[in-house]
């Protein structure tokens, strides 16, 4: 029986050395793979919704890791220096290669990673099935501010992307602050994901910088951020709220109660920026979505 090939998987493994890519091209169940982990001295492993599992293949070598990075960077690693300072680079199709090893520093600042010890190839897929769930929550009126919550690896970015696409397709102007090139994943200026016909994307700068630029130049009805992880990110969201622009963003939390307990998000809760939260749960590999406090105001006491 012929094994089913997944387009996203086949595209993602294109950055691997030919021999390794050939091994993985026929991987069984490839359509369910979320990440490929290559660690020096160990066999490759894949992560699916239920966890990570090793593959019965030869161990990865340090030379192979260097080759992967070189191929992913199109044999011009220095061209991706800014991205690699943050430990990753974005591939065509929106896939992302994270790198680990020995950090190189200059004047106390990270300038790159050398002597690679592992890489994580995250396979990017546009999952449209979630649209049926969230479309009633979005409605047809003006965009509202929403916070998307879940632990890491539960699909916040995928949900964010679909929310942006649906709002944009209604004719509302949406701006995306794509700091890590994960939401739209521009390649030669073209989004590798469908983010809607009325969406503008700014990537490669901090959320705070992007918010200032987008608010001044693109007049968005909705501004999208991924992964609020610093006080500066919180300030960027508050800036949008003060300007009357709706915001959609993601944060690492298991729910609103968990969000309240995290010091970083207390100011966000007190500012009452968001009208609602969507919480993503995952059990037995299946994701579910629930809407919390649409009318009451997020984090109200």
């Amino acid at each position: 029986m012929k094994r089913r090939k997944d387009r996203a998987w086949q595209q993602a493994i294109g950055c691997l050395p030919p021999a390794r890519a050939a091994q993985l091209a026929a991987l069984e169940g490839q359509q369910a793979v979320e990440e490929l982990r290559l660690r020096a001295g160990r066999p490759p492993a894949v992560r699916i919704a239920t966890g990570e599992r090793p593959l019965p293949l030869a161990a990865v070598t340090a030379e192979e890791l260097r080759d992967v990075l070189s191929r992913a960077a199109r044999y011009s690693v220095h061209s991706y220096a800014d991205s690699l300072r943050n430990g990753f680079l974005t591939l065509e199709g929106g896939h992302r290669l994270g790198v680990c090893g020995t950090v190189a520093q200059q004047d106390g600042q990270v300038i790159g990673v050398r002597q690679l010890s592992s890489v994580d190839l995250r396979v990017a897929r546009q999952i449209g099935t979630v649209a049926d769930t969230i479309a009633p929550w979005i409605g047809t009126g003006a965009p509202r501010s929403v916070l998307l919550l879940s632990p890491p690896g539960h699909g916040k970015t995928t949900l964010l992307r679909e929310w942006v696409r649906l709002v944009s397709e209604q004719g509302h102007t949406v701006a995306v602050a794509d700091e890590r090139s994960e939401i739209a994943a521009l390649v030669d200026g073209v989004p590798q994901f469908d983010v809607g016909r009325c969406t503008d994307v700014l990537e490669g700068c901090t959320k705070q910088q992007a918010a200032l630029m987008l608010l001044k130049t693109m007049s968005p009805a909705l501004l999208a951020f991924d992964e609020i992880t610093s006080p500066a990110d919180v300030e960027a969201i508050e800036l949008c709220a003060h300007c009357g622009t709706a915001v959609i963003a993601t944060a690492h939390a298991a729910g609103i109660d968990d969000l309240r307990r995290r010091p970083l998000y207390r100011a966000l809760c007190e500012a009452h920026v968001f009208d609602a939260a969507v919480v993503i749960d995952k059990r037995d590999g299946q994701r579910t979505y629930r809407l919390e406090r649409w009318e009451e105001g997020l984090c109200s006491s």
Side-chain angles (χ1 to χ4, degrees), residues 29-301:
Q30 57 191 249
Q31 66 276 4
V33 175
E34 298 174 357
E35 297 178 6
L36 171 68
R37 299 271 181 165
L38 302 178
R39 300 181 176 97
R42 293 187 174 275
V46 292
R47 187 172 74 83
I48 58 177
T50 54
E52 185 176 313
R53 63 180 177 89
L55 300 176
L57 299 173
V60 176
T61 66
E63 181 181 359
E64 184 176 0
L65 294 178
R66 291 193 293 271
D67 193 10
V68 170
L69 179 59
S70 182
R71 289 173 179 275
R74 303 178 185 180
Y75 301 99
S76 182
V77 173
H78 69 276
S79 298
Y80 291 83
D82 288 341
S83 180
L84 287 171
R85 287 190 188 99
N86 294 308
F88 73 94
L89 57 83
T90 301
L91 311 178
E92 185 172 352
H95 314 292
R96 192 177 78 169
L97 188 75
V99 299
C100 278
T102 303
V103 170
Q105 295 191 11
Q106 182 176 317
D107 299 326
Q109 300 294 317
V110 174
I111 60 173
V113 179
R114 55 186 176 84
Q115 295 180 357
L116 297 181
S117 61
S118 64
V119 300
D120 174 24
L121 180 60
R122 296 183 63 177
V123 183
R125 295 183 177 88
Q126 184 111 24
I127 303 175
T129 54
V130 70
D132 292 337
T133 299
I134 65 176
W137 299 340
I138 293 173
T140 58
R144 303 178 73 175
S145 294
V146 180
L147 187 61
L148 311 180
L149 305 176
S150 82
H154 279 46
K156 290 186 297 297
T157 302
T158 298
L159 178 59
L160 175 69
R161 188 184 299 122
E162 280 300 288
W163 199 289
V164 164
R165 182 181 69 82
L166 291 176
V167 172
S168 177
E169 288 299 329
Q170 290 182 359
H172 301 293
T173 301
V174 181
V176 175
D178 204 359
E179 184 175 3
R180 287 178 287 272
S181 304
E182 290 186 287
I183 304 171
L186 298 180
V187 173
D188 296 328
V190 179
Q192 299 300 289
F193 294 107
D194 184 0
V195 289
R197 61 185 174 85
C198 300
T199 300
D200 303 299
V201 182
L202 185 64
E203 65 175 25
C205 62
T206 67
K207 298 178 185 69
Q208 194 170 44
Q209 292 168 328
L212 286 168
M213 295 171 68
L214 291 167
L215 288 170
K216 288 179 180 179
T217 61
M218 306 311 293
S219 303
L222 176 69
L223 210 160
F225 301 93
D226 201 10
E227 294 192 12
I228 304 306
T229 57
S230 72
D233 295 347
V234 174
E235 290 176 9
I237 288 176
E238 291 179 335
L239 172 64
C240 294
H242 294 326
C243 292
T245 299
V247 177
I248 182 168
T250 69
H252 292 317
I256 292 178
D257 289 340
D258 186 30
L259 188 79
R260 288 193 189 104
R261 289 192 289 267
R262 299 174 183 259
L264 174 64
Y265 301 125
R266 284 174 189 160
L268 203 58
C269 288
E270 292 168 0
H272 300 289
V273 171
F274 297 99
D275 301 308
V278 175
V279 182
I280 308 173
D281 294 312
K282 186 165 69 170
R283 293 182 180 177
D284 299 325
Q286 299 297 314
R287 293 178 176 86
T288 60
Y289 307 88
R290 70 177 188 273
L291 186 72
E292 294 196 6
R293 301 192 178 204
W294 185 267
E295 296 297 340
E296 297 176 29
L298 181 61
C299 294
S300 61
S301 56

